[in-house]
Amino acid sequence: MTTSPAVPAAPAAGIADAAAYAEAVATASRAAAAYYATGESALDDDAYDRLARGIAAWEEAHPEEIAAESPTGKVAGGAAVGDVPHTVPMLSLDNVFSAEQLTAWTASLERRIGRPVAGWSVEPKLDGLAVAARYEDGRLTRLVTRGDGTAGEDVSHAVGTVLGLPDALAEAATLEIRGEVLMTQEQFVQANTARTAHGGAPFANPRNGAAGTLRARDRAYRVEMTFFGYGALALPGTDPGLADRLASLPHSEVMAEVVRLGVHTAASTEVAPRTVRAVEEIQARIEEIAEARAGLPFGIDGIVVKADPAADQAEAGSGTRAPRWAVAYKLPAVEKVTTLLGVEWNVGRTGIIAPRAVLEPVEIDGSTVTYATLHNPADITRRDLRIGDRVMVHKAGDIIPRIEAPVAHLRTGAERPVEFPEVCPQCGSGIDTSEQRWRCERGRDCRVVASVSYAAGRDQLDIEGLGTTRVVQLVDAGLVRDVADLFSLTREQLLSLERMGATSTDNLLAAIAEAKRKPLSRVFCALGVRGTGRSMSRRIARHFAGMEHIRAAGAEELQQVEGIGGEKARTVVDELAELAPLIDRLVAAGVNMTEPGATPPVPAAADGAAEGEPSEEAAPGPLAGMTVVVTGAMTGALEKLSRNQMNELVERAGGKASSSVSKRTSLLVAGEGAGSKREKAEQLGIRITAPDEFAATVAGFLPATA
């Protein structure tokens, strides 16, 4: 699921009377003060936005009752302070929440300047802290927060920990570069690891981490952040020629100058700023950035739209809080604060004991979240999670929601520790706690039914008639202890079971016999090797061609398979060693252990071949080197193939199967009802083919049943 920019904003908080208004103003002021001081607000962004809109609506209806401390119309809600004056006010941005509001804003701007805007810059709204970096003769001399827009806080002590903000520019220029300091997801993890190792509470989210770190002094550990520039302006002492360029160039060209000087911007990212001409193009780019949001290594909470020409900006001018030539298109929140109600301990089919957070239901990104990922017991301990904690929950796209950290400053003292299981919650056996991920000492034997049911599933061995109920019956009867036992079942054994007649018995035995002929990729997937799934199993099978080659491979050889790093490679080696007796029994039962069309890797000097003599390689398939996406309903020869079977077909023909359209996509196979993926492929100029044409291309690789 992608984040749709068409989703309307949550409704404004309702304010019934003057007393409720006063309380709302006080709440918003406290939240803003905490947010801009340390990032530790009691309200998440969505809740604050709704409260602020409610306050603004009340004030519009009761202009004579506006409180002096109201956050409306003030930079940083009037909460931030600082003692370093800005040479030019450092303002906030007004917000819009829908395509209709954006269209109304662009029309209003063009009416204000009396002509169409010649170009619009569309760029990500980065979720960090706004700062101004001052350079004199090319040397970084000062770093200042936005503060209240007129003056900010000097945080120059943080220089050296902010990546992308060089100590010296590519030339000896005097100017100010404005941008956002944030933590990437990787930096956030590293920061919390260092912070908790030194006895500190973990940061609730990356923005909280950046806010606290930017202001911290004399820490015993180093935490890095990243700078993204979004603007530049002249300072007293700036060369007149450079000052004129900064004042007259379009915003997009000013940012090109910033990049040339060696400062980091979003230009090198998947959501790079782009200049467009028409309002319709603005919305298309917004949708592209919103779709990419879940996969970004850093947080964004919207898209900034700016009039690109300097003349248009100058004529539009600015208000006391925000420029009139720029607006922030806010995206639905992917982070919210809720309460951790409990922790469930679930045992997977390989015996892994996994914790899962039970949450007070909260609406995030268009869906209700009641559960979230907790990685392992060590992670719970490291982050000091407690039952009853207020926790920051993150959800983006179709990623499983996760808890970032407890919001420690909201604790009341009533929270209690998470209780860890002393025995396996599934079978009562002992627990192996030697690794971070705890495991039942019985391993796969703890979840025989789940393990066998998974192996027999449609995307693995596809044994029709062997659902969970039948597997339970076979296990309870003592006929099956693992997947290999399926291949030794006899007609007499099956007929002895309840509700197993002659026809259903013969059909099941035929399906089991058919399963023996499945390709290695299906068999390997059926083993349930930790760290692998359908796609990874296909890649491993295609790379090694035979089970004997996979079993003989060490961690180094496994890392030659796309997507396998050092840790996963070691896990696969250990898993295959544990599964060796089961694999031997499958081989003895006559189960296929080769991948059709695949050629095993040849060592540098293969047995029987002269040193340096080229080995004979299989001819490349028709999709060699191509990344293929399949969408919509297939027809003709492909009609009966599942999506997993289509992906297998792509890879047998030499291609790489993918689920999403991007610039790296080579071909889209578009069936009936292709929808948004077809539209995106057309926008990117990607080749699109119909199912019948694709079937003809890969005819030699189609399964016999197609």
Side-chain angles (χ1 to χ4, degrees):
M1 185 179 80
T2 57
T3 302
S4 171
V7 177
I15 297 177
D17 52 34
Y21 167 71
E23 178 60 30
V25 168
T27 300
S29 297
R30 288 194 300 270
Y35 183 84
Y36 287 101
T38 64
E40 296 182 336
S41 171
L43 301 179
D44 55 53
D45 284 353
D46 186 62
Y48 182 83
D49 280 346
R50 285 189 286 111
L51 186 62
R53 292 201 300 278
I55 291 171
W58 168 268
E59 292 173 346
E60 186 175 356
H62 305 83
E64 73 286 354
E65 298 183 35
I66 297 176
E69 62 273 23
S70 168
T72 305
K74 298 175 183 175
V75 174
V81 295
D83 55 7
V84 180
H86 291 300
T87 54
V88 174
M90 197 169 182
L91 304 179
S92 298
L93 290 171
D94 287 329
N95 297 326
V96 295
F97 297 90
S98 67
E100 293 75 20
Q101 290 180 4
L102 175 66
T103 300
W105 176 82
T106 57
S108 173
L109 175 58
E110 291 182 334
R111 284 196 302 272
R112 174 177 288 275
I113 66 175
R115 61 179 179 274
V117 171
W120 304 93
S121 177
V122 187
E123 52 199 69
K125 184 178 182 296
L126 298 151
D127 194 11
L129 281 85
V131 297
R134 297 180 181 177
Y135 284 87
E136 295 181 12
D137 296 325
R139 308 296 300 184
L140 180 57
T141 59
R142 209 164 200 181
L143 193 62
V144 184
T145 65
R146 177 166 57 192
D148 66 357
T150 60
E153 179 183 352
D154 191 331
V155 289
S156 302
H157 60 271
V159 171
T161 64
V162 183
L163 304 183
L165 198 59
D167 290 334
L169 299 176
E171 64 181 50
T174 296
L175 77 167
E176 180 172 288
I177 297 175
R178 293 181 171 181
E180 296 273 331
V181 171
L182 54 76
M183 280 185 180
T184 65
Q185 287 296 331
E186 182 179 358
Q187 288 170 337
F188 175 61
V189 171
Q190 292 171 348
N192 270 349
T193 299
R195 187 169 169 85
T196 55
H198 285 80
F203 295 120
N205 56 23
R207 191 196 183 284
N208 167 243
T213 300
L214 194 64
R215 294 181 171 89
R217 298 174 185 267
D218 303 324
R219 273 184 177 164
Y221 54 93
R222 175 186 170 90
V223 172
E224 289 185 339
M225 298 164 286
T226 300
F227 178 82
F228 286 82
Y230 61 64
L233 52 90
L235 291 173
T238 300
D239 174 80
L242 176 59
D244 288 344
R245 289 207 309 278
L246 293 176
S248 61
L249 285 175
H251 168 72
S252 54
E253 294 183 31
V254 169
M255 293 312 299
E257 285 276 302
V258 170
V259 172
R260 185 184 62 80
L261 290 171
V263 178
H264 183 243
T265 72
S268 59
T269 71
E270 186 178 349
V271 290
R274 183 180 299 171
T275 303
V276 301
R277 299 297 175 191
V279 174
E280 294 76 14
E281 294 178 274
I282 298 176
Q283 192 61 41
R285 183 56 181 160
I286 285 173
E287 291 172 3
E288 290 174 356
I289 295 175
E291 186 173 352
R293 182 188 193 186
L296 296 175
F298 50 84
I300 66 172
D301 59 359
I303 295 97
V304 178
V305 179
K306 301 175 181 176
D308 192 47
D312 291 349
Q313 292 186 6
E315 193 158 343
S318 298
T320 57
R321 177 187 176 275
R324 298 188 183 96
W325 45 266
V327 75
Y329 189 119
K330 295 297 288 289
L331 295 174
V334 293
E335 271 188 347
K336 285 196 178 178
V337 175
T338 188
T339 302
L340 176 62
L341 301 178
V343 174
E344 295 178 348
W345 298 88
N346 302 312
V347 184
R349 52 188 167 76
T350 64
I352 293 293
I353 301 171
R356 181 173 73 160
V358 182
L359 305 171
E360 182 179 310
V362 61
E363 189 81 10
I364 308 179
D365 196 18
S367 62
T368 301
V369 174
T370 53
Y371 298 99
T373 293
L374 293 172
H375 299 292
N376 52 60
D379 188 57
I380 293 174
T381 300
R382 179 180 64 81
R383 292 190 287 171
D384 189 27
L385 282 171
R386 305 175 193 176
I387 306 301
D389 263 338
R390 298 287 285 172
V391 292
M392 184 67 74
V393 181
H394 181 88
K395 177 179 180 286
D398 55 1
I399 298 173
I400 298 171
R402 66 177 185 268
I403 289 178
E404 296 281 22
V407 187
H409 70 280
L410 295 181
R411 282 179 172 159
T412 64
E415 298 80 15
R416 62 187 190 279
V418 174
E419 294 184 6
F420 294 168
E422 297 180 356
V423 297
C424 173
Q426 177 70 23
C427 68
S429 299
I431 298 176
D432 178 359
T433 61
S434 61
E435 297 183 8
Q436 284 197 338
R437 300 184 73 189
W438 290 6
R439 194 180 189 198
C440 175
E441 289 180 345
R442 294 181 61 207
R444 286 174 170 78
D445 290 342
C446 175
R447 294 296 306 272
V448 171
V449 171
S451 179
V452 174
S453 297
Y454 172 80
R458 184 180 183 187
D459 291 329
Q460 288 70 246
L461 297 178
D462 194 17
I463 303 178
E464 190 173 349
L466 196 59
T468 301
T469 301
R470 187 68 69 204
V471 173
V472 170
Q473 194 176 22
L474 291 169
V475 171
D476 288 347
L479 298 177
V480 169
R481 295 163 300 157
D482 56 38
V483 64
D485 284 337
L486 294 174
F487 298 100
S488 61
L489 290 171
T490 66
R491 195 169 191 271
E492 291 71 23
Q493 288 174 327
L494 293 176
L495 286 171
S496 69
L497 300 175
E498 292 184 9
R499 300 182 303 280
M500 280 296 287
T503 300
S504 55
T505 292
D506 291 341
N507 288 342
L508 179 55
L509 288 172
I512 291 172
E514 176 64 26
K516 290 184 179 182
R517 296 190 285 272
K518 297 294 181 186
L520 172 61
S521 54
R522 295 291 196 101
V523 176
F524 191 88
C525 191
L527 293 173
V529 176
R530 282 186 292 156
T532 68
R534 293 174 295 182
S535 297
M536 184 60 70
S537 295
R538 287 197 298 269
R539 289 200 287 270
I540 291 172
R542 293 288 302 173
H543 183 84
F544 290 102
M547 180 64 83
E548 73 275 15
H549 298 296
I550 301 175
R551 297 175 74 179
E556 188 173 338
E557 290 108 325
L558 278 163
Q559 288 180 68
Q560 296 173 14
V561 178
E562 181 188 355
I564 295 187
E567 184 177 350
K568 182 174 287 188
R570 290 188 291 274
T571 297
V572 173
V573 169
D574 292 344
E575 284 278 284
L576 290 175
E578 179 182 319
L579 290 165
L582 174 62
I583 296 171
D584 289 341
R585 291 174 54 225
L586 290 171
V587 172
V591 175
N592 172 60
M593 293 291 168
T594 61
E595 184 70 7
T599 303
V602 179
D607 292 341
E611 182 79 35
E613 182 180 338
S615 59
E616 183 179 348
E617 295 184 0
L623 304 180
M626 299 176 68
T627 298
V628 181
V629 175
V630 178
T631 188
M634 295 296 103
T635 54
L638 308 177
E639 184 175 5
K640 296 182 179 180
L641 299 185
S642 67
R643 188 63 80 235
N644 188 49
Q645 289 173 317
M646 284 294 297
N647 290 340
E648 289 178 343
L649 174 60
V650 167
E651 294 182 8
R652 280 200 304 273
K656 176 184 176 182
S658 177
S659 60
S660 60
V661 175
S662 70
K663 293 178 181 178
R664 294 181 291 275
T665 304
S666 311
L667 178 68
L668 177 73
V669 183
E672 296 177 2
S676 61
K677 289 184 180 179
R678 182 181 189 116
E679 292 174 6
K680 186 170 183 180
E682 289 172 345
Q683 291 172 3
L684 295 174
I686 293 166
R687 180 186 160 203
I688 300 173
T689 186
D692 290 347
E693 182 183 353
F694 182 73
T697 301
V698 297
F701 298 85
L702 288 169
T705 55

